[in-house]
Every structure is written in structure tokens, then in C-alpha cells.
Amino acid sequence: MRENVGMFQNLAVLGSGLLGASLMQAMKAKGLCQNAYAWSRREETRRNCAAQSWCDGVFDTPAEAAAAADLVVICVPVEHIVPTLKDIARALKPGTIVTDVGSTKQLIVHRAAKLMPEGCHFVGSHPMAGSEKTGLDHASDELFTGRACFVTPLSQTDPEATARVAQLWHELGMSVTQIAPEAHDEIVAHISHLPHLLASVLCDSLASKDTHWLDYAGGGLRDTTRIAAGAPALWKEIVSQNREEILRAMQAFDQHWKRLQEVVETNDMDALEHILANGKSYRDRLS
Amino acid sequence: MRENVGMFQNLAVLGSGLLGASLMQAMKAKGLCQNAYAWSRREETRRNCAAQSWCDGVFDTPAEAAAAADLVVICVPVEHIVPTLKDIARALKPGTIVTDVGSTKQLIVHRAAKLMPEGCHFVGSHPMAGSEKTGLDHASDELFTGRACFVTPLSQTDPEATARVAQLWHELGMSVTQIAPEAHDEIVAHISHLPHLLASVLCDSLASKDTHWLDYAGGGLRDTTRIAAGAPALWKEIVSQNREEILRAMQAFDQHWKRLQEVVETNDMDALEHILANGKSYRDRLS
């Protein structure tokens, strides 16, 4: 294995689902850790993980896994991140860096700062590489390549730990942005959580109509609603953790939605074309 | 060229954009017409089309093209379909079948029925094979394969003409549904026009925020907003032609959207999970 400036000795991934298992694969493949260890809540997942070539060992408890590591990455669902941190805090070796992959940051990062023992460092992360597909079986060492990643230190977070976490995601091919947890939560409420809720509620609305209409669905409906297939329990927790920012994003959208309804009701086709053109010009920047 | 039951002698495509040019390519490739002729409004498009191997001739006026054909397919933007029909009606040979590819049907089909000369037959079509990419240069003889297509005769429409048009789309690999124009317009208002407007207004709403946020966009935002890149002028006309049904679809969505807002505002996470699960169960049927 080649030596690497950003390298860690022992990685412990807590929660070897899509993101956790992909991270183990990717870090091993790129020589970013010597050993990749894991813990998962379900025994079946632990057994499955232990059988993989990129897994150097599986532990029965998160604390045991964390104790073996100099980098701990918490990859459990958002509502379990802080409880998992509580479980492992006392077991961490001095100098250990802990990060997570949660879709919300404010609540997690502030609680984590209080939980970390002296000499250990928590740096929040949000690699935007999730999918409506979940689980170890969909994992890939290319999951992170070309995607965006947020790293969300607080002002008191150790700068070296922040730099090492940012470097890690960078080495995995991600475009890394360092930002305050509050700003992160505002951004993802708009560009991730709101689109998800719109896709879900569009499906929820269409479900009240003739479901045979689905037979006629074109690529448009397919694409606009793809993310509505995401796990309801997971997304409920994301909304719960980022509720205030999501409400603000929903209110901002609602103003534009009401204006669109008014424009269609009053048959103001010039105003409609203006809205469509404004939307297109925004979307064209994404391509 | 192999003989084919559903075959036409001379196809005239009026408007050789994405759909029109793809239709010429596909019908020639599958031996569904002997000759494929075209007319386009822009001289540049006519020249471009004339240079293609699958084009047997280009005419300077829609009437001349239509006069040469036993199948005319009107592929101009929706608001130009009825005016184009007016332009060609007197030129049509007895027995000619005319269809279109417009995204709305009620208004077009009823006006067309009045415009057709004795012995000629108009049968409305809506092949759901559009794209946010437009123009002859994106055309493909596989554009229609595996997609849904509506054929929308009136009660007085000649059954043989209807059958031949339905057969044509079927031979192009489409899943064909015969349905009344009114029912068609209700369905596409919900599964095509509403999703389009939501994608547009989401982009319109996000454009009022920091546009650098786009740098962090994940696959979710990318997919949910893809169709917002569609041509504003085209979509304005679709909304204009199907306004009543679209308003009803928007109102139905609005009820579910208001309920979602209420649920997030009141922190009713059980109700939220129910909405998300209902949306997921609908979306899962699309996969």
C-alpha cells in the first residue's frame, strides 16, 4: 500500500450501509487507511460485512470498534448519530478524529462538541453521495467520486482535525466545501430536503388519482419523482432534525407556487413564460 | 424494403424538430413508409433536413408537402397545429390520414374534425417521447421505443384511420392507448404538465436564493429539476391549451402540499412519515 499524507491507520465505520460500506471500500482502494473495521446494529449486516475483502474486522459494539481506530466515521441514520457518539465517547483513544455523514449538521455538531473527550476531535461531514438505494449490497468505491461534500467545523474545532477530514473527502474525489453547520443546514434545506418533499408530495397527490395513469408516465415524471422512493423513516428524521430551515425553504417555495397558481388562474401567459424562463435559466446552470 | 401491413406510401412531416425528424428516421428505418418528405418553418432547418439520408425531399410550404402524402404528421409546437391544419386542409388528397404529436388533445382534435375535408381523416396522437433537448440534431430512430403513446379519436372518427395511426405508433415500439381527448388531457395535466410546472417553480424559487448553492447540488436536485430546462415558449402554449385541467391538477396537488406544510409546522412526524410512505409506495410502482 502506498503511503499517503492524509492516511489513517485504522478506520472504524459505525453503520456499514451504503455510505459506510462504500467508504470502507474507497479508503482501502485508495490506500487511505491501513485497516478498515466496522460495526453495524444488525448481526446479519455484521456477518455480511465481515465476509467482504475490504473489511479487516467487525466488532460487536460501536465502542469496541471506535477504540480500535484513529478515524471513526459514524454512518448510522441521523437520529442515531448523537446516541452513537454517547456510546463511544469514553472508549476513544486520545487523538482520535470522529466524523459523520449525516444530512443535517447544526444539532449534531453542537451536541458532538460537548460529548467529545479531551484530546479527541469531532468534525462534522456531509458527503452528498446518498441514493434512494440503500444497504451494503449497493456500495461502491466510486460512490463519492465527483460529488459535493460539506465539512462543518465550529470555531473551536481543532484546525488540523478539520484539515485531515476535508483532505480525506478530497482524496475520495469529492468537491469539498468548509462551512458553518447553520449555513449548511440552510443550503441543504433548499437544494436537497425541499426537492425531496416536493417529489414525495407529488407522488402522494398522484396516488389519490387513478393509479393506472402510471402506465403512461414519461421520463419527466420518472425523473422528478425518483427521490420519493427514499426511505420514509430516514427522511422523517432528516426533516425532524432540520425542521426550522426546511419550514423556511417551504415557505419561500410556497410564495412562488402561489404566484404560479395565480398566473395560471388569471391566464397571464406572459407572466407564466417569465417564470418558466427564470426556472430554465437556473436549471441550465446545473448542466 | 419489406412490405408492411401498416405501411404508408408517402409520409409528410410538418415541422422537422426532434419528434418530426425522429419520426422520419424511424419510419424509414422500419420500412413504414416508402418516402419521407418534410416541411419546416425555418429555411435553415429545411436545408439541414434535405441533406439527411432519411429525407426524400423537402417542400417550401406545408400545403405542398401535405399534397404529396397519404400520411401527414403535424409536429409543430402545439399552438401552431390548428393553424397548420388550416393551411393544408384544401391541399389534402382524398384518403389522406392526418395526425399530430401535440401534448394537448381536446382543443386540437375538436377543431381538426371541423377542418378536415370530406374523405380525409384526422386522428389525434400524443407520443410521449419529448425531451428537454430539441431540434433535428438530437433526433434518433429509437426515440419512440418503449415509450407511451395516446391515440385520441372522437366517436365520429373513421375507425380504420384510427387503427392505422395506432398501428403506426405500435410498430415504432410504443405502448399505445386509445382514449378520448378529454381523458387524455386530464391524465397528462397530472402526470406530465403538473410535474413540469413544479420543476419550473422549484427552480424559479431557488433562483431567488444564493445561486452558488448550485455548486452543491446532488443527483436529487438534478433529477427533480431536469424538465425545467424545457423551452418556456413551448410550455407556455401547452399550459394555455390545457389550462382548465392543469388548474384542477394544481388544486389537487395544493391540497396535499398544504397538508404537508401543516404536518411539518406542527411537528407531526407520524403524519409526515405516512405521507412519505404513501409517496414512496406510489413511486415504487414506476420502477
Side-chain angles (χ1 to χ4, degrees):
Chain A
M1 185 166 55
R2 72 186 167 91
E3 283 295 317
N4 187 305
V5 181
M7 199 178 131
F8 292 88
Q9 198 64 32
N10 297 318
L11 162 71
V13 155
L14 308 182
S16 49
L18 177 73
L19 283 163
S22 295
L23 184 65
M24 293 170 76
Q25 287 186 35
M27 284 186 68
K28 290 285 282 192
K30 289 184 192 283
L32 295 167
C33 66
Q34 194 86 38
N35 301 299
Y37 301 118
W39 164 82
S40 261
R41 190 177 51 81
R42 294 175 58 218
E43 201 198 324
E44 191 191 333
T45 311
R46 293 203 296 273
R47 267 204 304 266
N48 189 354
C49 194
Q52 308 295 327
S53 60
W54 37 262
C55 176
D56 298 297
V58 169
F59 290 87
D60 285 340
T61 69
E64 286 169 276
D70 55 331
L71 174 69
V72 177
V73 185
I74 306 180
C75 301
V76 298
V78 282
E79 76 275 22
H80 296 307
I81 293 175
V82 171
T84 301
L85 261 174
K86 284 182 187 160
D87 283 347
I88 65 169
R90 285 161 163 255
L92 297 171
K93 288 183 307 196
T96 301
I97 293 175
V98 182
T99 186
D100 73 320
V101 300
S103 303
T104 66
K105 294 270 70 84
Q106 208 169 331
L107 197 146
I108 290 165
V109 169
H110 286 280
R111 293 206 185 154
K114 292 185 184 142
L115 287 168
M116 292 302 284
E118 187 67 31
C120 294
H121 310 287
F122 182 88
V123 184
S125 298
H126 177 202
M128 293 183 73
S131 165
E132 76 281 6
K133 292 179 183 155
T134 55
L136 187 150
D137 295 334
H138 292 109
S140 149
D141 64 2
E142 289 297 326
L143 187 76
F144 305 98
T145 313
R147 314 295 286 270
C149 182
F150 292 99
V151 173
T152 61
L154 296 172
S155 55
Q156 69 266 32
T157 306
D158 179 68
E160 199 197 324
T162 303
R164 288 194 74 194
V165 169
Q167 179 67 16
L168 168 66
W169 298 118
H170 173 77
E171 299 261 2
L172 293 173
M174 305 196 85
S175 165
V176 181
T177 302
Q178 201 165 308
I179 196 172
E182 291 73 17
H184 165 275
D185 283 5
E186 183 192 7
I187 293 173
V188 296
H190 285 84
I191 66 167
S192 170
H193 306 165
L194 172 65
H196 192 99
L197 290 175
L198 283 173
S200 291
V201 77
L202 173 59
C203 287
D204 174 54
S205 162
L206 293 177
S208 68
K209 302 286 170 181
D210 186 340
T211 51
H212 286 107
W213 292 359
L214 270 178
D215 299 341
Y216 315 128
L221 184 67
R222 209 169 278 275
D223 285 357
T224 48
T225 60
R226 184 182 59 79
I227 51 178
L234 177 77
W235 278 91
K236 178 187 77 168
E237 294 300 336
I238 291 173
V239 174
S240 175
Q241 295 223 348
N242 200 23
R243 204 170 65 87
E244 307 252 318
E245 291 296 345
I246 288 173
L247 271 173
R248 269 193 281 276
M250 289 175 86
Q251 281 152 9
F253 172 83
D254 192 56
Q255 284 184 10
H256 290 259
W257 166 247
K258 282 206 180 88
R259 169 81 183 127
L260 175 70
Q261 281 189 294
E262 184 190 304
V263 151
V264 178
E265 265 162 29
T266 59
N267 207 3
D268 185 348
M269 290 296 130
D270 290 340
L272 175 66
E273 191 169 3
H274 181 78
I275 293 170
L276 296 171
N278 194 41
K280 175 180 170 55
S281 124
Y282 183 84
R283 182 54 179 79
D284 285 346
R285 295 195 219 174
L286 251 184
S287 307
Chain B
M1 186 166 52
R2 70 185 170 89
E3 284 294 319
N4 188 306
V5 181
M7 199 178 130
F8 292 88
Q9 198 63 33
N10 297 320
L11 161 71
V13 156
L14 308 182
S16 48
L18 177 74
L19 283 162
S22 295
L23 184 64
M24 293 171 76
Q25 286 185 37
M27 284 186 68
K28 290 285 282 191
K30 289 183 192 281
L32 294 168
C33 66
Q34 194 84 39
N35 302 299
Y37 301 118
W39 164 81
S40 261
R41 191 177 50 82
R42 294 174 61 216
E43 202 199 325
E44 191 192 331
T45 311
R46 293 203 295 274
R47 268 203 304 265
N48 189 354
C49 194
Q52 308 296 327
S53 61
W54 37 263
C55 176
D56 297 297
V58 169
F59 291 86
D60 285 340
T61 68
E64 287 170 276
D70 54 331
L71 173 68
V72 177
V73 185
I74 307 182
C75 301
V76 298
V78 281
E79 75 275 22
H80 296 307
I81 293 176
V82 172
T84 301
L85 261 174
K86 285 182 186 160
D87 283 348
I88 65 169
R90 285 161 164 256
L92 297 170
K93 289 184 305 197
T96 301
I97 293 176
V98 182
T99 186
D100 74 318
V101 299
S103 303
T104 67
K105 294 271 69 81
Q106 208 170 332
L107 196 146
I108 291 166
V109 169
H110 286 279
R111 294 206 185 155
K114 291 184 185 143
L115 287 167
M116 291 304 282
E118 188 66 31
C120 294
H121 311 286
F122 183 89
V123 185
S125 298
H126 178 202
M128 292 184 73
S131 165
E132 76 282 5
K133 291 179 185 157
T134 55
L136 188 150
D137 295 335
H138 292 109
S140 150
D141 64 2
E142 289 296 326
L143 187 77
F144 305 98
T145 314
R147 315 295 286 269
C149 183
F150 293 98
V151 173
T152 61
L154 296 171
S155 55
Q156 68 267 33
T157 305
D158 180 69
E160 200 197 321
T162 302
R164 289 194 72 193
V165 169
Q167 179 68 17
L168 167 66
W169 299 118
H170 173 77
E171 298 262 1
L172 293 174
M174 304 197 85
S175 165
V176 181
T177 302
Q178 201 165 308
I179 196 171
E182 292 71 17
H184 165 273
D185 284 4
E186 184 192 7
I187 293 172
V188 295
H190 285 85
I191 66 166
S192 169
H193 306 166
L194 172 65
H196 192 99
L197 290 176
L198 283 173
S200 291
V201 77
L202 174 58
C203 287
D204 174 55
S205 161
L206 293 177
S208 68
K209 301 286 170 181
D210 185 341
T211 51
H212 285 107
W213 291 359
L214 270 176
D215 299 341
Y216 316 127
L221 184 67
R222 209 169 277 276
D223 285 356
T224 47
T225 60
R226 182 181 61 78
I227 51 178
L234 176 80
W235 277 91
K236 176 188 78 168
E237 293 301 337
I238 290 173
V239 174
S240 176
Q241 294 222 349
N242 200 23
R243 203 169 65 87
E244 307 253 316
E245 291 296 346
I246 289 172
L247 271 174
R248 269 193 280 278
M250 289 175 85
Q251 280 153 10
F253 172 83
D254 193 57
Q255 285 185 10
H256 291 258
W257 166 247
K258 283 207 179 88
R259 169 81 182 126
L260 176 70
Q261 282 189 293
E262 185 190 305
V263 151
V264 177
E265 265 161 27
T266 58
N267 207 1
D268 185 348
M269 290 296 130
D270 289 341
L272 174 66
E273 190 168 3
H274 181 79
I275 293 171
L276 295 171
N278 194 41
K280 175 178 169 56
S281 124
Y282 183 84
R283 182 54 179 79
D284 285 345
R285 294 195 220 175
L286 252 182
S287 306

